[in-house]
PDB file of all heavy atoms in Angstrom:
ATOM      1  N   LEU A1777     154.832  64.523  27.374  1.00  0.00           N
ATOM      2  CA  LEU A1777     155.657  63.312  27.240  1.00  0.00           C
ATOM      3  C   LEU A1777     156.029  63.076  25.781  1.00  0.00           C
ATOM      4  O   LEU A1777     157.145  62.631  25.465  1.00  0.00           O
ATOM      5  CB  LEU A1777     154.907  62.101  27.806  1.00  0.00           C
ATOM      6  CG  LEU A1777     154.725  62.093  29.324  1.00  0.00           C
ATOM      7  CD1 LEU A1777     153.832  60.912  29.745  1.00  0.00           C
ATOM      8  CD2 LEU A1777     156.078  61.984  30.010  1.00  0.00           C
ATOM      9  N   ASP A1778     155.071  63.324  24.915  1.00  0.00           N
ATOM     10  CA  ASP A1778     155.359  63.125  23.488  1.00  0.00           C
ATOM     11  C   ASP A1778     156.486  64.052  23.029  1.00  0.00           C
ATOM     12  O   ASP A1778     157.403  63.641  22.318  1.00  0.00           O
ATOM     13  CB  ASP A1778     154.085  63.381  22.676  1.00  0.00           C
ATOM     14  CG  ASP A1778     154.296  63.068  21.184  1.00  0.00           C
ATOM     15  OD1 ASP A1778     154.564  61.890  20.887  1.00  0.00           O
ATOM     16  OD2 ASP A1778     154.195  64.012  20.375  1.00  0.00           O
ATOM     17  N   ASP A1779     156.418  65.307  23.521  1.00  0.00           N
ATOM     18  CA  ASP A1779     157.489  66.247  23.175  1.00  0.00           C
ATOM     19  C   ASP A1779     158.810  65.820  23.779  1.00  0.00           C
ATOM     20  O   ASP A1779     159.881  65.920  23.137  1.00  0.00           O
ATOM     21  CB  ASP A1779     157.134  67.656  23.646  1.00  0.00           C
ATOM     22  CG  ASP A1779     155.945  68.217  22.869  1.00  0.00           C
ATOM     23  OD1 ASP A1779     155.658  67.686  21.782  1.00  0.00           O
ATOM     24  OD2 ASP A1779     155.298  69.159  23.387  1.00  0.00           O
ATOM     25  N   GLU A1780     158.789  65.306  25.024  1.00  0.00           N
ATOM     26  CA  GLU A1780     160.008  64.888  25.693  1.00  0.00           C
ATOM     27  C   GLU A1780     160.635  63.695  24.992  1.00  0.00           C
ATOM     28  O   GLU A1780     161.858  63.569  24.879  1.00  0.00           O
ATOM     29  CB  GLU A1780     159.717  64.543  27.163  1.00  0.00           C
ATOM     30  CG  GLU A1780     159.408  65.744  28.027  1.00  0.00           C
ATOM     31  CD  GLU A1780     160.638  66.605  28.203  1.00  0.00           C
ATOM     32  OE1 GLU A1780     161.750  66.052  28.192  1.00  0.00           O
ATOM     33  OE2 GLU A1780     160.475  67.819  28.363  1.00  0.00           O
ATOM     34  N   LYS A1781     159.783  62.759  24.535  1.00  0.00           N
ATOM     35  CA  LYS A1781     160.321  61.557  23.898  1.00  0.00           C
ATOM     36  C   LYS A1781     161.035  61.880  22.579  1.00  0.00           C
ATOM     37  O   LYS A1781     161.957  61.160  22.155  1.00  0.00           O
ATOM     38  CB  LYS A1781     159.182  60.560  23.646  1.00  0.00           C
ATOM     39  CG  LYS A1781     158.669  59.918  24.919  1.00  0.00           C
ATOM     40  CD  LYS A1781     157.534  58.970  24.639  1.00  0.00           C
ATOM     41  CE  LYS A1781     157.017  58.346  25.936  1.00  0.00           C
ATOM     42  NZ  LYS A1781     155.903  57.427  25.716  1.00  0.00           N
ATOM     43  N   HIS A1782     160.632  62.948  21.890  1.00  0.00           N
ATOM     44  CA  HIS A1782     161.270  63.313  20.619  1.00  0.00           C
ATOM     45  C   HIS A1782     162.299  64.409  20.777  1.00  0.00           C
ATOM     46  O   HIS A1782     162.920  64.847  19.803  1.00  0.00           O
ATOM     47  CB  HIS A1782     160.206  63.770  19.604  1.00  0.00           C
ATOM     48  CG  HIS A1782     159.254  62.651  19.213  1.00  0.00           C
ATOM     49  ND1 HIS A1782     158.151  62.323  19.958  1.00  0.00           N
ATOM     50  CD2 HIS A1782     159.286  61.794  18.148  1.00  0.00           C
ATOM     51  CE1 HIS A1782     157.497  61.323  19.398  1.00  0.00           C
ATOM     52  NE2 HIS A1782     158.180  60.971  18.283  1.00  0.00           N
ATOM     53  N   LEU A1783     162.511  64.884  22.014  1.00  0.00           N
ATOM     54  CA  LEU A1783     163.446  65.983  22.238  1.00  0.00           C
ATOM     55  C   LEU A1783     164.874  65.580  21.937  1.00  0.00           C
ATOM     56  O   LEU A1783     165.663  66.346  21.355  1.00  0.00           O
ATOM     57  CB  LEU A1783     163.314  66.472  23.689  1.00  0.00           C
ATOM     58  CG  LEU A1783     164.164  67.697  24.055  1.00  0.00           C
ATOM     59  CD1 LEU A1783     163.783  68.877  23.173  1.00  0.00           C
ATOM     60  CD2 LEU A1783     163.988  68.040  25.533  1.00  0.00           C
ATOM     61  N   ASN A1784     165.255  64.343  22.294  1.00  0.00           N
ATOM     62  CA  ASN A1784     166.634  63.887  22.067  1.00  0.00           C
ATOM     63  C   ASN A1784     166.949  63.871  20.575  1.00  0.00           C
ATOM     64  O   ASN A1784     167.989  64.398  20.114  1.00  0.00           O
ATOM     65  CB  ASN A1784     166.822  62.502  22.675  1.00  0.00           C
ATOM     66  CG  ASN A1784     168.274  62.054  22.624  1.00  0.00           C
ATOM     67  OD1 ASN A1784     169.174  62.817  22.939  1.00  0.00           O
ATOM     68  ND2 ASN A1784     168.489  60.814  22.195  1.00  0.00           N
ATOM     69  N   ALA A1785     166.056  63.280  19.798  1.00  0.00           N
ATOM     70  CA  ALA A1785     166.299  63.192  18.352  1.00  0.00           C
ATOM     71  C   ALA A1785     166.325  64.570  17.715  1.00  0.00           C
ATOM     72  O   ALA A1785     167.165  64.875  16.840  1.00  0.00           O
ATOM     73  CB  ALA A1785     165.243  62.316  17.701  1.00  0.00           C
ATOM     74  N   LYS A1786     165.426  65.428  18.155  1.00  0.00           N
ATOM     75  CA  LYS A1786     165.381  66.773  17.585  1.00  0.00           C
ATOM     76  C   LYS A1786     166.643  67.562  17.905  1.00  0.00           C
ATOM     77  O   LYS A1786     167.166  68.333  17.097  1.00  0.00           O
ATOM     78  CB  LYS A1786     164.150  67.507  18.113  1.00  0.00           C
ATOM     79  CG  LYS A1786     162.841  66.968  17.577  1.00  0.00           C
ATOM     80  CD  LYS A1786     161.667  67.720  18.155  1.00  0.00           C
ATOM     81  CE  LYS A1786     160.351  67.169  17.620  1.00  0.00           C
ATOM     82  NZ  LYS A1786     159.179  67.908  18.161  1.00  0.00           N
ATOM     83  N   PHE A1787     167.181  67.358  19.131  1.00  0.00           N
ATOM     84  CA  PHE A1787     168.407  68.063  19.504  1.00  0.00           C
ATOM     85  C   PHE A1787     169.577  67.629  18.646  1.00  0.00           C
ATOM     86  O   PHE A1787     170.399  68.438  18.185  1.00  0.00           O
ATOM     87  CB  PHE A1787     168.678  67.814  20.997  1.00  0.00           C
ATOM     88  CG  PHE A1787     169.949  68.455  21.492  1.00  0.00           C
ATOM     89  CD1 PHE A1787     170.068  69.855  21.534  1.00  0.00           C
ATOM     90  CD2 PHE A1787     171.038  67.692  21.873  1.00  0.00           C
ATOM     91  CE1 PHE A1787     171.234  70.438  21.988  1.00  0.00           C
ATOM     92  CE2 PHE A1787     172.197  68.287  22.323  1.00  0.00           C
ATOM     93  CZ  PHE A1787     172.301  69.656  22.391  1.00  0.00           C
ATOM     94  N   LEU A1788     169.671  66.288  18.408  1.00  0.00           N
ATOM     95  CA  LEU A1788     170.782  65.780  17.594  1.00  0.00           C
ATOM     96  C   LEU A1788     170.655  66.260  16.146  1.00  0.00           C
ATOM     97  O   LEU A1788     171.671  66.581  15.476  1.00  0.00           O
ATOM     98  CB  LEU A1788     170.806  64.255  17.661  1.00  0.00           C
ATOM     99  CG  LEU A1788     171.121  63.654  19.055  1.00  0.00           C
ATOM    100  CD1 LEU A1788     171.045  62.152  19.011  1.00  0.00           C
ATOM    101  CD2 LEU A1788     172.480  64.110  19.545  1.00  0.00           C
ATOM    102  N   GLU A1789     169.416  66.266  15.651  1.00  0.00           N
ATOM    103  CA  GLU A1789     169.217  66.771  14.288  1.00  0.00           C
ATOM    104  C   GLU A1789     169.604  68.249  14.205  1.00  0.00           C
ATOM    105  O   GLU A1789     170.196  68.712  13.209  1.00  0.00           O
ATOM    106  CB  GLU A1789     167.754  66.604  13.894  1.00  0.00           C
ATOM    107  CG  GLU A1789     167.373  65.143  13.648  1.00  0.00           C
ATOM    108  CD  GLU A1789     165.883  64.999  13.360  1.00  0.00           C
ATOM    109  OE1 GLU A1789     165.165  66.035  13.375  1.00  0.00           O
ATOM    110  OE2 GLU A1789     165.423  63.854  13.145  1.00  0.00           O
ATOM    111  N   PHE A1790     169.296  68.985  15.313  1.00  0.00           N
ATOM    112  CA  PHE A1790     169.682  70.402  15.332  1.00  0.00           C
ATOM    113  C   PHE A1790     171.203  70.556  15.272  1.00  0.00           C
ATOM    114  O   PHE A1790     171.744  71.416  14.569  1.00  0.00           O
ATOM    115  CB  PHE A1790     169.113  71.048  16.599  1.00  0.00           C
ATOM    116  CG  PHE A1790     169.639  72.428  16.865  1.00  0.00           C
ATOM    117  CD1 PHE A1790     169.182  73.513  16.124  1.00  0.00           C
ATOM    118  CD2 PHE A1790     170.628  72.642  17.822  1.00  0.00           C
ATOM    119  CE1 PHE A1790     169.685  74.783  16.365  1.00  0.00           C
ATOM    120  CE2 PHE A1790     171.122  73.901  18.042  1.00  0.00           C
ATOM    121  CZ  PHE A1790     170.650  74.986  17.319  1.00  0.00           C
ATOM    122  N   LEU A1791     171.922  69.702  16.025  1.00  0.00           N
ATOM    123  CA  LEU A1791     173.397  69.776  16.006  1.00  0.00           C
ATOM    124  C   LEU A1791     173.947  69.470  14.613  1.00  0.00           C
ATOM    125  O   LEU A1791     174.921  70.092  14.127  1.00  0.00           O
ATOM    126  CB  LEU A1791     173.974  68.805  17.027  1.00  0.00           C
ATOM    127  CG  LEU A1791     173.739  69.139  18.510  1.00  0.00           C
ATOM    128  CD1 LEU A1791     174.294  68.026  19.403  1.00  0.00           C
ATOM    129  CD2 LEU A1791     174.334  70.476  18.893  1.00  0.00           C
ATOM    130  N   ASP A1792     173.335  68.446  13.951  1.00  0.00           N
ATOM    131  CA  ASP A1792     173.812  68.097  12.598  1.00  0.00           C
ATOM    132  C   ASP A1792     173.594  69.256  11.622  1.00  0.00           C
ATOM    133  O   ASP A1792     174.478  69.580  10.788  1.00  0.00           O
ATOM    134  CB  ASP A1792     173.072  66.845  12.114  1.00  0.00           C
ATOM    135  CG  ASP A1792     173.520  65.602  12.868  1.00  0.00           C
ATOM    136  OD1 ASP A1792     174.635  65.623  13.450  1.00  0.00           O
ATOM    137  OD2 ASP A1792     172.739  64.605  12.922  1.00  0.00           O
ATOM    138  N   LYS A1793     172.414  69.880  11.717  1.00  0.00           N
ATOM    139  CA  LYS A1793     172.128  70.985  10.796  1.00  0.00           C
ATOM    140  C   LYS A1793     173.067  72.162  11.034  1.00  0.00           C
ATOM    141  O   LYS A1793     173.605  72.760  10.102  1.00  0.00           O
ATOM    142  CB  LYS A1793     170.686  71.437  10.965  1.00  0.00           C
ATOM    143  CG  LYS A1793     169.677  70.449  10.436  1.00  0.00           C
ATOM    144  CD  LYS A1793     168.261  70.950  10.688  1.00  0.00           C
ATOM    145  CE  LYS A1793     167.235  69.937  10.198  1.00  0.00           C
ATOM    146  NZ  LYS A1793     165.846  70.414  10.429  1.00  0.00           N
ATOM    147  N   GLU A1794     173.282  72.509  12.291  1.00  0.00           N
ATOM    148  CA  GLU A1794     174.165  73.633  12.590  1.00  0.00           C
ATOM    149  C   GLU A1794     175.596  73.330  12.223  1.00  0.00           C
ATOM    150  O   GLU A1794     176.365  74.198  11.764  1.00  0.00           O
ATOM    151  CB  GLU A1794     174.064  73.978  14.078  1.00  0.00           C
ATOM    152  CG  GLU A1794     172.724  74.577  14.499  1.00  0.00           C
ATOM    153  CD  GLU A1794     172.464  75.874  13.791  1.00  0.00           C
ATOM    154  OE1 GLU A1794     173.388  76.706  13.654  1.00  0.00           O
ATOM    155  OE2 GLU A1794     171.283  76.084  13.377  1.00  0.00           O
ATOM    156  N   GLY A1795     175.991  72.050  12.409  1.00  0.00           N
ATOM    157  CA  GLY A1795     177.363  71.662  12.025  1.00  0.00           C
ATOM    158  C   GLY A1795     177.558  71.734  10.532  1.00  0.00           C
ATOM    159  O   GLY A1795     178.640  72.106  10.041  1.00  0.00           O
ATOM    160  N   ALA A1796     176.522  71.352   9.748  1.00  0.00           N
ATOM    161  CA  ALA A1796     176.625  71.395   8.284  1.00  0.00           C
ATOM    162  C   ALA A1796     176.723  72.838   7.815  1.00  0.00           C
ATOM    163  O   ALA A1796     177.455  73.150   6.858  1.00  0.00           O
ATOM    164  CB  ALA A1796     175.432  70.696   7.676  1.00  0.00           C
ATOM    165  N   LYS A1797     175.947  73.740   8.468  1.00  0.00           N
ATOM    166  CA  LYS A1797     175.979  75.137   8.072  1.00  0.00           C
ATOM    167  C   LYS A1797     177.362  75.746   8.317  1.00  0.00           C
ATOM    168  O   LYS A1797     177.874  76.538   7.525  1.00  0.00           O
ATOM    169  CB  LYS A1797     174.942  75.950   8.840  1.00  0.00           C
ATOM    170  CG  LYS A1797     173.506  75.656   8.451  1.00  0.00           C
ATOM    171  CD  LYS A1797     172.567  76.485   9.289  1.00  0.00           C
ATOM    172  CE  LYS A1797     171.120  76.199   8.948  1.00  0.00           C
ATOM    173  NZ  LYS A1797     170.204  77.015   9.756  1.00  0.00           N
ATOM    174  N   ARG A1798     178.000  75.373   9.420  1.00  0.00           N
ATOM    175  CA  ARG A1798     179.269  75.986   9.796  1.00  0.00           C
ATOM    176  C   ARG A1798     180.471  75.095   9.481  1.00  0.00           C
ATOM    177  O   ARG A1798     181.604  75.413   9.803  1.00  0.00           O
ATOM    178  CB  ARG A1798     179.250  76.320  11.287  1.00  0.00           C
ATOM    179  CG  ARG A1798     178.240  77.413  11.612  1.00  0.00           C
ATOM    180  CD  ARG A1798     178.081  77.538  13.091  1.00  0.00           C
ATOM    181  NE  ARG A1798     177.194  78.636  13.477  1.00  0.00           N
ATOM    182  CZ  ARG A1798     175.888  78.613  13.389  1.00  0.00           C
ATOM    183  NH1 ARG A1798     175.296  77.521  12.945  1.00  0.00           N
ATOM    184  NH2 ARG A1798     175.170  79.665  13.740  1.00  0.00           N
ATOM    185  N   ASN A1799     180.157  73.938   8.899  1.00  0.00           N
ATOM    186  CA  ASN A1799     181.211  72.984   8.523  1.00  0.00           C
ATOM    187  C   ASN A1799     181.988  72.576   9.771  1.00  0.00           C
ATOM    188  O   ASN A1799     183.226  72.517   9.749  1.00  0.00           O
ATOM    189  CB  ASN A1799     182.136  73.581   7.453  1.00  0.00           C
ATOM    190  CG  ASN A1799     182.994  72.501   6.780  1.00  0.00           C
ATOM    191  OD1 ASN A1799     182.642  71.317   6.804  1.00  0.00           O
ATOM    192  ND2 ASN A1799     184.098  72.899   6.201  1.00  0.00           N
ATOM    193  N   LYS A1800     181.270  72.305  10.871  1.00  0.00           N
ATOM    194  CA  LYS A1800     181.889  71.845  12.112  1.00  0.00           C
ATOM    195  C   LYS A1800     181.104  70.669  12.674  1.00  0.00           C
ATOM    196  O   LYS A1800     179.902  70.577  12.476  1.00  0.00           O
ATOM    197  CB  LYS A1800     181.907  72.977  13.144  1.00  0.00           C
ATOM    198  CG  LYS A1800     182.843  74.099  12.766  1.00  0.00           C
ATOM    199  CD  LYS A1800     182.868  75.161  13.847  1.00  0.00           C
ATOM    200  CE  LYS A1800     183.805  76.297  13.485  1.00  0.00           C
ATOM    201  NZ  LYS A1800     183.881  77.309  14.548  1.00  0.00           N
ATOM    202  N   ASP A1801     181.869  69.831  13.389  1.00  0.00           N
ATOM    203  CA  ASP A1801     181.241  68.618  13.964  1.00  0.00           C
ATOM    204  C   ASP A1801     180.737  68.938  15.376  1.00  0.00           C
ATOM    205  O   ASP A1801     181.328  68.539  16.377  1.00  0.00           O
ATOM    206  CB  ASP A1801     182.252  67.484  13.996  1.00  0.00           C
ATOM    207  CG  ASP A1801     181.616  66.157  14.384  1.00  0.00           C
ATOM    208  OD1 ASP A1801     180.332  66.099  14.487  1.00  0.00           O
ATOM    209  OD2 ASP A1801     182.339  65.189  14.659  1.00  0.00           O
TER     210      ASP A1801
END
Side-chain angles (χ1 to χ4, degrees):
L1777 291 174
D1778 185 63
D1779 293 341
E1780 289 292 329
K1781 288 179 181 179
H1782 295 84
L1783 184 60
N1784 187 45
K1786 290 179 180 181
F1787 178 66
L1788 295 177
E1789 288 176 359
F1790 170 76
L1791 291 176
D1792 289 339
K1793 289 178 182 180
E1794 291 298 318
K1797 290 179 181 180
R1798 293 170 176 76
N1799 195 22
K1800 292 182 180 182
D1801 188 8

